[in-house]
Amino acid sequence: MLLFTAARAFFLYSIFPSVPILAIDLQTAMVDNNTVLSGLRKLLSPQATVALRDSPEYANLTDRWRKWHAPDIAAVVEVATEEDVQETVRFAKEFDIPFVARAGGHGATDSLANAKNAIQIDFRKMNQVKLNDDGQTATLEGGVTVKQVVDGLEAVGKRAVTGICECVGLSAPILGGGHGWLQGQYGLAADQVVSARLVLPNGDLITVSGESHPDLFWAIKGAGHNFGLVTEWEYRVHDMPKHKWYYQIFIYPKDKLEALYELANSKIKTQPAEAIFWGYFVKVPPLDPENPLVWFAVIYDGPKEKAEAYAEDFYKIEHKNVDVGEASMHDLAKLTFQDEDGPGCQYGKTSLRYPIGLKEYNVAAVRKVYDHIDETFRNVPELAGSFFLIEGYSTQAVEAVDSKSTAFPHRDEKILVTSYVQYAPNPDTDPIAQEFGKKLQDILLEGSDDPQHLRAYVNYANGDESLQAVYGWEEWRLKKLLEIKDKWDPENKMKYYVPLRP
């Protein structure tokens, strides 16, 4: 575990202090704000709170994973009940105030910055996980994080499809489709939804399911950020197996990159539903002071014998080191630097993402990406804390779902790649970072099977992608989404996360 410890220690270098927020009078956002907001407080439950810019709690409540292009928050409402959500939305509608939802605080896309003097509807108090009587579903409140769901279900012998990063709220990934360790066996996170209780942009509360408002149910499973605020999910769960996960984490020399990803291409064709590939290009000077590491993990939901047999060929490629062992879901998050205390959850940096979905690795393009990363880290050391993430989930259960049955448009992709361009906040670095991230995305797009059509996962979207790239290139799909949008949100109140309507 020396390798893992050293890598993690370097990842956790000091985070730069957050930029101070000035106390700005709310009169810039609303007339007679004290009277108006005191009226809002009276509409809420005793457990709910309202924090203004000059409140001592404000800075902590509005702190986010990324403050660059973040929403401008005038007031935070910590909701505790569905009725609190309804009243806050109605209040915002009455006074024409923008509103955004917050649970984990990891939303990071350009359009969030368009929310000026907005109300942050903060769901973190609504975080209960309850196994239902049927034993096959659980009720998840809208503010639960990935870790809260994993821990809550493990306590009753269950598990479910979730994202990887523990501090991320689960609702947002579900709304965008939701990738995770278990998707090869059970499908995307969105595929686990039996029903959802949804506060509409006018404040009405409805239940959506296959039988109740099926058009909206279809839309929230892949494009859900555009339609309302989920207060509660009815969500499929599964029995915990007796075995733990088994991981094999390799560090390869950079000159073995081609051999590694040629092998990965061949392995994708027979990848079991229980197997995941997870890779990084990342600079860890204690392990290699000169070059980014080629970090590659084979993660398997099964016993050691099956896991090692599947990964046997990866051992045949010359490698610098390999860590192996059994792991829980929390251990996996920690091993991949996505646990609550890990770098994936650290605040204080500007973080840009440039996603692309692929059907296979173009090995020559992967080499170009690595070389460009290596060169950029040398020339622009401010960006050397960035990392390049390759998520190679199994897809059997994802592809088994009819692609027309949900709004999620990318079921045939085998690989999700994202550049995480991270650096200390600095306006001078911003354009360099954007050019860097876009270049990496363009290299992979040019080497893909369809260079004219970018496929970008909405939950990672930078915000400069076309609607087709995010929501699907089929003409009927976007047409259907826009029709549903105009029906359920005619005033376009939900327009701050990769919006269908600007």
PDB file of all heavy atoms in Angstrom, residues 1-22:
ATOM      1  N   MET A   1       0.819  -1.218   0.000  1.00  0.00           N
ATOM      2  CA  MET A   1       0.000   0.000   0.000  1.00  0.00           C
ATOM      3  C   MET A   1       0.852   1.267   0.000  1.00  0.00           C
ATOM      4  O   MET A   1       0.335   2.370   0.055  1.00  0.00           O
ATOM      5  CB  MET A   1      -0.929   0.019   1.217  1.00  0.00           C
ATOM      6  CG  MET A   1      -1.964  -1.070   1.219  1.00  0.00           C
ATOM      7  SD  MET A   1      -3.082  -0.916  -0.190  1.00  0.00           S
ATOM      8  CE  MET A   1      -3.992   0.565   0.289  1.00  0.00           C
ATOM      9  N   LEU A   2       2.182   1.107  -0.056  1.00  0.00           N
ATOM     10  CA  LEU A   2       3.046   2.290  -0.045  1.00  0.00           C
ATOM     11  C   LEU A   2       2.738   3.195  -1.228  1.00  0.00           C
ATOM     12  O   LEU A   2       2.680   4.422  -1.096  1.00  0.00           O
ATOM     13  CB  LEU A   2       4.504   1.850  -0.086  1.00  0.00           C
ATOM     14  CG  LEU A   2       5.550   2.982  -0.155  1.00  0.00           C
ATOM     15  CD1 LEU A   2       5.439   3.866   1.076  1.00  0.00           C
ATOM     16  CD2 LEU A   2       6.959   2.410  -0.282  1.00  0.00           C
ATOM     17  N   LEU A   3       2.509   2.598  -2.391  1.00  0.00           N
ATOM     18  CA  LEU A   3       2.213   3.374  -3.591  1.00  0.00           C
ATOM     19  C   LEU A   3       0.967   4.214  -3.400  1.00  0.00           C
ATOM     20  O   LEU A   3       0.934   5.408  -3.665  1.00  0.00           O
ATOM     21  CB  LEU A   3       2.037   2.422  -4.773  1.00  0.00           C
ATOM     22  CG  LEU A   3       1.484   3.048  -6.050  1.00  0.00           C
ATOM     23  CD1 LEU A   3       2.530   3.955  -6.658  1.00  0.00           C
ATOM     24  CD2 LEU A   3       1.075   1.962  -7.032  1.00  0.00           C
ATOM     25  N   PHE A   4      -0.080   3.566  -2.933  1.00  0.00           N
ATOM     26  CA  PHE A   4      -1.347   4.277  -2.722  1.00  0.00           C
ATOM     27  C   PHE A   4      -1.178   5.399  -1.707  1.00  0.00           C
ATOM     28  O   PHE A   4      -1.646   6.519  -1.898  1.00  0.00           O
ATOM     29  CB  PHE A   4      -2.419   3.297  -2.253  1.00  0.00           C
ATOM     30  CG  PHE A   4      -3.638   3.974  -1.702  1.00  0.00           C
ATOM     31  CD1 PHE A   4      -4.499   4.661  -2.533  1.00  0.00           C
ATOM     32  CD2 PHE A   4      -3.910   3.941  -0.333  1.00  0.00           C
ATOM     33  CE1 PHE A   4      -5.609   5.301  -2.021  1.00  0.00           C
ATOM     34  CE2 PHE A   4      -5.011   4.574   0.178  1.00  0.00           C
ATOM     35  CZ  PHE A   4      -5.874   5.252  -0.673  1.00  0.00           C
ATOM     36  N   THR A   5      -0.478   5.123  -0.609  1.00  0.00           N
ATOM     37  CA  THR A   5      -0.301   6.134   0.434  1.00  0.00           C
ATOM     38  C   THR A   5       0.459   7.346  -0.089  1.00  0.00           C
ATOM     39  O   THR A   5       0.091   8.498   0.180  1.00  0.00           O
ATOM     40  CB  THR A   5       0.442   5.517   1.633  1.00  0.00           C
ATOM     41  OG1 THR A   5      -0.294   4.384   2.087  1.00  0.00           O
ATOM     42  CG2 THR A   5       0.587   6.518   2.758  1.00  0.00           C
ATOM     43  N   ALA A   6       1.499   7.102  -0.853  1.00  0.00           N
ATOM     44  CA  ALA A   6       2.277   8.218  -1.394  1.00  0.00           C
ATOM     45  C   ALA A   6       1.461   9.036  -2.369  1.00  0.00           C
ATOM     46  O   ALA A   6       1.486  10.273  -2.352  1.00  0.00           O
ATOM     47  CB  ALA A   6       3.532   7.676  -2.079  1.00  0.00           C
ATOM     48  N   ALA A   7       0.718   8.351  -3.237  1.00  0.00           N
ATOM     49  CA  ALA A   7      -0.098   9.078  -4.210  1.00  0.00           C
ATOM     50  C   ALA A   7      -1.162   9.903  -3.519  1.00  0.00           C
ATOM     51  O   ALA A   7      -1.406  11.066  -3.859  1.00  0.00           O
ATOM     52  CB  ALA A   7      -0.748   8.079  -5.171  1.00  0.00           C
ATOM     53  N   ARG A   8      -1.786   9.306  -2.527  1.00  0.00           N
ATOM     54  CA  ARG A   8      -2.847  10.017  -1.813  1.00  0.00           C
ATOM     55  C   ARG A   8      -2.271  11.212  -1.058  1.00  0.00           C
ATOM     56  O   ARG A   8      -2.864  12.298  -1.049  1.00  0.00           O
ATOM     57  CB  ARG A   8      -3.532   9.057  -0.839  1.00  0.00           C
ATOM     58  CG  ARG A   8      -4.670   9.688  -0.071  1.00  0.00           C
ATOM     59  CD  ARG A   8      -5.342   8.648   0.821  1.00  0.00           C
ATOM     60  NE  ARG A   8      -6.410   9.279   1.574  1.00  0.00           N
ATOM     61  CZ  ARG A   8      -7.599   9.519   1.105  1.00  0.00           C
ATOM     62  NH1 ARG A   8      -7.884   9.196  -0.136  1.00  0.00           N
ATOM     63  NH2 ARG A   8      -8.538  10.093   1.841  1.00  0.00           N
ATOM     64  N   ALA A   9      -1.117  11.036  -0.447  1.00  0.00           N
ATOM     65  CA  ALA A   9      -0.513  12.134   0.307  1.00  0.00           C
ATOM     66  C   ALA A   9      -0.229  13.315  -0.606  1.00  0.00           C
ATOM     67  O   ALA A   9      -0.446  14.470  -0.240  1.00  0.00           O
ATOM     68  CB  ALA A   9       0.763  11.659   0.986  1.00  0.00           C
ATOM     69  N   PHE A  10       0.246  13.032  -1.807  1.00  0.00           N
ATOM     70  CA  PHE A  10       0.532  14.144  -2.714  1.00  0.00           C
ATOM     71  C   PHE A  10      -0.754  14.812  -3.186  1.00  0.00           C
ATOM     72  O   PHE A  10      -0.833  16.026  -3.305  1.00  0.00           O
ATOM     73  CB  PHE A  10       1.329  13.661  -3.916  1.00  0.00           C
ATOM     74  CG  PHE A  10       1.652  14.771  -4.870  1.00  0.00           C
ATOM     75  CD1 PHE A  10       2.621  15.715  -4.549  1.00  0.00           C
ATOM     76  CD2 PHE A  10       0.959  14.896  -6.064  1.00  0.00           C
ATOM     77  CE1 PHE A  10       2.906  16.752  -5.417  1.00  0.00           C
ATOM     78  CE2 PHE A  10       1.238  15.930  -6.931  1.00  0.00           C
ATOM     79  CZ  PHE A  10       2.217  16.861  -6.613  1.00  0.00           C
ATOM     80  N   PHE A  11      -1.777  13.999  -3.479  1.00  0.00           N
ATOM     81  CA  PHE A  11      -3.057  14.545  -3.905  1.00  0.00           C
ATOM     82  C   PHE A  11      -3.596  15.532  -2.879  1.00  0.00           C
ATOM     83  O   PHE A  11      -4.223  16.532  -3.211  1.00  0.00           O
ATOM     84  CB  PHE A  11      -4.083  13.419  -4.078  1.00  0.00           C
ATOM     85  CG  PHE A  11      -4.333  13.047  -5.508  1.00  0.00           C
ATOM     86  CD1 PHE A  11      -4.500  11.719  -5.873  1.00  0.00           C
ATOM     87  CD2 PHE A  11      -4.408  14.012  -6.493  1.00  0.00           C
ATOM     88  CE1 PHE A  11      -4.748  11.368  -7.177  1.00  0.00           C
ATOM     89  CE2 PHE A  11      -4.660  13.670  -7.811  1.00  0.00           C
ATOM     90  CZ  PHE A  11      -4.825  12.343  -8.151  1.00  0.00           C
ATOM     91  N   LEU A  12      -3.362  15.256  -1.612  1.00  0.00           N
ATOM     92  CA  LEU A  12      -3.964  16.047  -0.545  1.00  0.00           C
ATOM     93  C   LEU A  12      -3.069  17.217  -0.136  1.00  0.00           C
ATOM     94  O   LEU A  12      -2.962  17.533   1.039  1.00  0.00           O
ATOM     95  CB  LEU A  12      -4.244  15.145   0.676  1.00  0.00           C
ATOM     96  CG  LEU A  12      -5.400  14.174   0.485  1.00  0.00           C
ATOM     97  CD1 LEU A  12      -5.446  13.176   1.625  1.00  0.00           C
ATOM     98  CD2 LEU A  12      -6.714  14.922   0.395  1.00  0.00           C
ATOM     99  N   TYR A  13      -2.444  17.855  -1.116  1.00  0.00           N
ATOM    100  CA  TYR A  13      -1.654  19.025  -0.761  1.00  0.00           C
ATOM    101  C   TYR A  13      -2.588  20.171  -0.402  1.00  0.00           C
ATOM    102  O   TYR A  13      -3.764  20.157  -0.705  1.00  0.00           O
ATOM    103  CB  TYR A  13      -0.694  19.412  -1.889  1.00  0.00           C
ATOM    104  CG  TYR A  13      -1.329  19.687  -3.204  1.00  0.00           C
ATOM    105  CD1 TYR A  13      -1.845  20.948  -3.509  1.00  0.00           C
ATOM    106  CD2 TYR A  13      -1.400  18.680  -4.163  1.00  0.00           C
ATOM    107  CE1 TYR A  13      -2.412  21.193  -4.729  1.00  0.00           C
ATOM    108  CE2 TYR A  13      -1.984  18.931  -5.384  1.00  0.00           C
ATOM    109  CZ  TYR A  13      -2.476  20.181  -5.663  1.00  0.00           C
ATOM    110  OH  TYR A  13      -3.050  20.411  -6.888  1.00  0.00           O
ATOM    111  N   SER A  14      -2.014  21.163   0.216  1.00  0.00           N
ATOM    112  CA  SER A  14      -2.854  22.203   0.819  1.00  0.00           C
ATOM    113  C   SER A  14      -3.737  22.891  -0.199  1.00  0.00           C
ATOM    114  O   SER A  14      -3.306  23.192  -1.299  1.00  0.00           O
ATOM    115  CB  SER A  14      -1.968  23.254   1.497  1.00  0.00           C
ATOM    116  OG  SER A  14      -1.097  23.842   0.558  1.00  0.00           O
ATOM    117  N   ILE A  15      -5.008  23.097   0.192  1.00  0.00           N
ATOM    118  CA  ILE A  15      -5.979  23.785  -0.643  1.00  0.00           C
ATOM    119  C   ILE A  15      -5.881  25.281  -0.371  1.00  0.00           C
ATOM    120  O   ILE A  15      -5.802  25.720   0.769  1.00  0.00           O
ATOM    121  CB  ILE A  15      -7.403  23.283  -0.323  1.00  0.00           C
ATOM    122  CG1 ILE A  15      -7.507  21.783  -0.605  1.00  0.00           C
ATOM    123  CG2 ILE A  15      -8.432  24.054  -1.114  1.00  0.00           C
ATOM    124  CD1 ILE A  15      -7.226  21.399  -2.029  1.00  0.00           C
ATOM    125  N   PHE A  16      -5.884  26.066  -1.432  1.00  0.00           N
ATOM    126  CA  PHE A  16      -5.771  27.502  -1.274  1.00  0.00           C
ATOM    127  C   PHE A  16      -7.013  28.043  -0.584  1.00  0.00           C
ATOM    128  O   PHE A  16      -8.116  27.544  -0.783  1.00  0.00           O
ATOM    129  CB  PHE A  16      -5.596  28.166  -2.640  1.00  0.00           C
ATOM    130  CG  PHE A  16      -4.239  27.955  -3.210  1.00  0.00           C
ATOM    131  CD1 PHE A  16      -3.902  26.743  -3.821  1.00  0.00           C
ATOM    132  CD2 PHE A  16      -3.277  28.941  -3.140  1.00  0.00           C
ATOM    133  CE1 PHE A  16      -2.643  26.531  -4.346  1.00  0.00           C
ATOM    134  CE2 PHE A  16      -2.015  28.749  -3.673  1.00  0.00           C
ATOM    135  CZ  PHE A  16      -1.702  27.547  -4.269  1.00  0.00           C
ATOM    136  N   PRO A  17      -6.864  29.087   0.237  1.00  0.00           N
ATOM    137  CA  PRO A  17      -8.028  29.627   0.939  1.00  0.00           C
ATOM    138  C   PRO A  17      -9.066  30.126  -0.038  1.00  0.00           C
ATOM    139  O   PRO A  17      -8.748  30.593  -1.118  1.00  0.00           O
ATOM    140  CB  PRO A  17      -7.452  30.777   1.775  1.00  0.00           C
ATOM    141  CG  PRO A  17      -6.099  31.040   1.245  1.00  0.00           C
ATOM    142  CD  PRO A  17      -5.629  29.825   0.513  1.00  0.00           C
ATOM    143  N   SER A  18     -10.323  29.971   0.341  1.00  0.00           N
ATOM    144  CA  SER A  18     -11.401  30.414  -0.525  1.00  0.00           C
ATOM    145  C   SER A  18     -11.462  31.935  -0.579  1.00  0.00           C
ATOM    146  O   SER A  18     -11.041  32.621   0.330  1.00  0.00           O
ATOM    147  CB  SER A  18     -12.746  29.863  -0.047  1.00  0.00           C
ATOM    148  OG  SER A  18     -12.802  29.812   1.332  1.00  0.00           O
ATOM    149  N   VAL A  19     -11.973  32.407  -1.689  1.00  0.00           N
ATOM    150  CA  VAL A  19     -12.078  33.843  -1.894  1.00  0.00           C
ATOM    151  C   VAL A  19     -13.142  34.409  -0.963  1.00  0.00           C
ATOM    152  O   VAL A  19     -14.253  33.883  -0.894  1.00  0.00           O
ATOM    153  CB  VAL A  19     -12.456  34.133  -3.368  1.00  0.00           C
ATOM    154  CG1 VAL A  19     -12.611  35.625  -3.593  1.00  0.00           C
ATOM    155  CG2 VAL A  19     -11.412  33.551  -4.296  1.00  0.00           C
ATOM    156  N   PRO A  20     -12.850  35.474  -0.207  1.00  0.00           N
ATOM    157  CA  PRO A  20     -13.855  36.020   0.698  1.00  0.00           C
ATOM    158  C   PRO A  20     -15.048  36.574  -0.060  1.00  0.00           C
ATOM    159  O   PRO A  20     -14.910  37.101  -1.155  1.00  0.00           O
ATOM    160  CB  PRO A  20     -13.101  37.144   1.429  1.00  0.00           C
ATOM    161  CG  PRO A  20     -11.957  37.467   0.550  1.00  0.00           C
ATOM    162  CD  PRO A  20     -11.593  36.212  -0.162  1.00  0.00           C
ATOM    163  N   ILE A  21     -16.229  36.418   0.527  1.00  0.00           N
ATOM    164  CA  ILE A  21     -17.458  36.909  -0.074  1.00  0.00           C
ATOM    165  C   ILE A  21     -17.864  38.189   0.632  1.00  0.00           C
ATOM    166  O   ILE A  21     -17.996  38.223   1.851  1.00  0.00           O
ATOM    167  CB  ILE A  21     -18.586  35.861   0.045  1.00  0.00           C
ATOM    168  CG1 ILE A  21     -18.151  34.580  -0.688  1.00  0.00           C
ATOM    169  CG2 ILE A  21     -19.882  36.390  -0.508  1.00  0.00           C
ATOM    170  CD1 ILE A  21     -19.077  33.422  -0.469  1.00  0.00           C
ATOM    171  N   LEU A  22     -18.052  39.218  -0.120  1.00  0.00           N
ATOM    172  CA  LEU A  22     -18.417  40.497   0.469  1.00  0.00           C
ATOM    173  C   LEU A  22     -19.876  40.487   0.888  1.00  0.00           C
ATOM    174  O   LEU A  22     -20.732  39.868   0.244  1.00  0.00           O
ATOM    175  CB  LEU A  22     -18.183  41.615  -0.554  1.00  0.00           C
ATOM    176  CG  LEU A  22     -16.726  41.768  -1.033  1.00  0.00           C
ATOM    177  CD1 LEU A  22     -16.652  42.874  -2.070  1.00  0.00           C
ATOM    178  CD2 LEU A  22     -15.798  42.081   0.121  1.00  0.00           C
TER     179      LEU A  22
END
